[in-house]
Amino acid sequence: MGGDRPWWKDAVIYHIYLRSFADSGGDGLGDIAGLTAHLDHLRGGPNSLGVDALWITPPFPSPDADFGYDVSDYRGIDPRMGTPEDFDRFLAEAHRRGLRVLLDLVLNHTSIEHPWFAESRRSRKSPRRDWYYWRDASRHRRYPNNWQSVFGGPAWTWDEAAGQFYYHMFLPEQPDLNWSNPAVRRELLNVARFWLDRGVDGFRLDAFNVWGKDPALPDNPPRFGLRPYDRQVHLYDMDRPVMDAALADLRALLDGYPERMAVGETIERDSPEKAALHVGEGKLHLAFNFAFGASPWRPRAFLHAVERWEAALGPERWPSYVLSDHDGAGRHIGRYGGRHPDEIAKVAAAMLLTLRGTPFIYYGDEIALPPTPIRRSQILDPVSKHYWPFHMRDPGRAPLPWNASRHGGFTTGRPWLPLHPGYPSRNVEAQSADPSSVFQFYRQLIALRRGSVALRAGDFHNLTRRPGRGWAYLRQAPGERALVALNFYRRPLRLALDRSLPAGDWRLALSSAPSTPAHLEGDIVHLAPFEAAVFLEKS
Ligand code: GLC
């Protein structure tokens, strides 16, 4: 570890949905000991993927209204996920392998069952009353203001016992904390300090830009949109100055420890410009940009997303790339794979892992696991229930199949969500044994990237200005250049470059079509169907 560049710029980061990774206890839910037992898959084993860091969804005690995103104790470990000792063992074992660990901090809201909320709702005089947003009904209408929940319905819920409404950006079971209260801010910073002292390498910050609201709670102005939530400009319920101040405090805390970092999830997830606002000195190290993965399967769309992201960040701030996640984006194989899931998974992987920025791989994508078909009666996620069939999160959260045995070796019990029915053939063991698998291609890409300063740190130069069926770009660092050429479709492609390649000894370093690999002919790259190729030139 160490070096001149911060580790997170060079890292490949793997996103683990903890409940679905590996179950050690037989209750059908993934847990920390299960994850620890499978770290060989990620790093340090004979057939590891070779990633550098991982982020895990919240392991904290939770009544599971939102499966861990409603936290009832920020310093504890949910007994179903393991014990605090299991967590320490996991952290030590990950570190022993050179794997960094980022923890998902959900600090915008607690669970309705958090003791702070219980105290807060008890009486108007409770010292914790002001830790949340309590308001009387408005005189003229029902709710204190017009704010809507991003998960559907009004953002205010009446609490009979408390005699007031409370505010929640997400579910009624997730009341928002009042970040304008200095005691709240202090306490939440202490939560971060607690886990840093425990040894984690940083955080994924859940929905951080909705920390803090305008204290006067004015109505948001209207705009055109589909859902009630979208029919207003979110002027007063997000991106408030108090959030910037809190982020600065958190950054100062992180900077007090060696080599720690934070990556943030902005609400209004498809705006790279908004995400970029929160990256930089005194702010986040990285932010997610979900607009990239929302691109249709067309080279021009991805190029546009990259250019927009690079322009929003400028040369100093570092990009990140995500194709899939446990939320709205789901699994990209479902969006792009069509009748050629493996071929397309390889092209997508090559793109994700060779752009300028830190790539995030969502668990299961390394075996091109498709979204799992879920019947309406099987849905567990409240958001999927509300928005069925338009917005579904369960299909992208299914258990990871490790092998062809019952329940894919994920659990000896009954899995909490069904496995993908294709698991007898599409699983980690089968893909590890197959040299031409998506998994092996990911391994090769990650290894190539690790050994290439151009791929990790080089500048990005587009080589196809109006890409049609294929896309090529250059990554350029002192002493090394990489040419990435991608054929998005199923016919062979003669891809003409708009700019001449710098002269040199260009060698094919990796191809997803090794039997008919790409070759260069002047400023033309010849690509096989669905081929992803990387050429290197060292001076
Ligand atoms: C984030 C999480 C999502 C969760 C929500 C509320 O968007 O990624 O899973 O439901 O925040 O905490």
Side-chain angles (χ1 to χ4, degrees), residues 156-179:
W156 295 95
T157 290
W158 178 256
D159 189 89
E160 204 51 62
Q164 281 188 309
F165 282 99
Y166 67 90
Y167 170 77
H168 49 89
M169 167 58 93
F170 298 93
L171 299 173
E173 291 86 352
Q174 296 169 302
D176 280 43
L177 283 159
N178 176 10
W179 277 82

Side-chain angles (χ1 to χ4, degrees), residues 191-207:
V191 167
R193 186 175 290 118
F194 173 86
W195 288 106
L196 291 170
D197 288 340
R198 197 78 175 248
V200 304
D201 300 284
F203 305 112
R204 179 258 183 192
L205 298 177
D206 187 75

Side-chain angles (χ1 to χ4, degrees), residues 335-377:
R335 296 195 297 284
Y336 304 141
R339 280 184 288 137
H340 303 275
D342 290 78
E343 289 84 350
I344 286 180
K346 289 178 185 174
V347 178
M351 177 173 65
L352 179 72
L353 288 155
T354 61
L355 286 170
R356 175 180 169 272
T358 301
F360 286 77
I361 299 172
Y362 186 46
Y363 86 103
D365 279 356
E366 73 276 29
I367 60 167
L369 187 67
T372 298
I374 303 265
R375 284 196 306 277
R376 194 173 181 186
S377 60

